[in-house]
Amino acid sequence: MKKIILLLLAIVGVFMAAIPAFAQADGAAAAAASAVGTKAIAAGVGFAIAVFGGALGQSRIGAAACEGAARNPGAAAKIQTMMILGLALIESLVLFALVIVFIKT
């Protein structure tokens, strides 16, 4: 008897899960709406990866510049100039990634 009740409850559960599938209006419109959401999520994840990589690059440049200036204080001005140039280039790459995100979504 318990197996029959469990089987009936499982069948009712499957039917309850299938009801929203019958309520969908148009398959193409629903797929397009789902694709837009998926694009936005993918663009956000891609931008997060770009920002993470940029942050790692900037931190390594900063650490190397501090170490270089500590080892050779006479060259600190040249090291700082090269560091700022490197930081600007990395930041521009992250900003280009942001522009791509806005274009694609």
Side-chain angles (χ1 to χ4, degrees):
M1 183 70 176
K2 282 190 168 199
K3 288 185 179 183
I4 294 175
I5 291 175
L6 186 61
L7 179 65
L8 289 175
L9 286 175
I11 291 172
V12 169
V14 168
F15 285 150
M16 294 293 285
I19 289 173
F22 293 124
Q24 292 179 355
D26 187 18
S34 175
V36 170
T38 306
K39 274 189 198 177
I41 291 172
V45 169
F47 183 65
I49 292 170
V51 168
F52 181 71
L56 283 178
Q58 287 181 342
S59 64
R60 292 192 64 177
I61 285 177
C66 288
E67 184 178 335
R71 288 183 182 207
N72 189 1
K78 287 184 179 180
I79 292 172
Q80 183 179 9
T81 303
M82 289 186 287
M83 178 191 73
I84 291 173
L85 180 65
L87 292 175
L89 291 174
I90 289 174
E91 191 64 30
S92 68
L93 289 175
V94 173
L95 291 176
F96 285 143
L98 180 63
V99 169
I100 299 287
V101 167
F102 282 134
I103 289 172
K104 290 294 181 183
T105 56

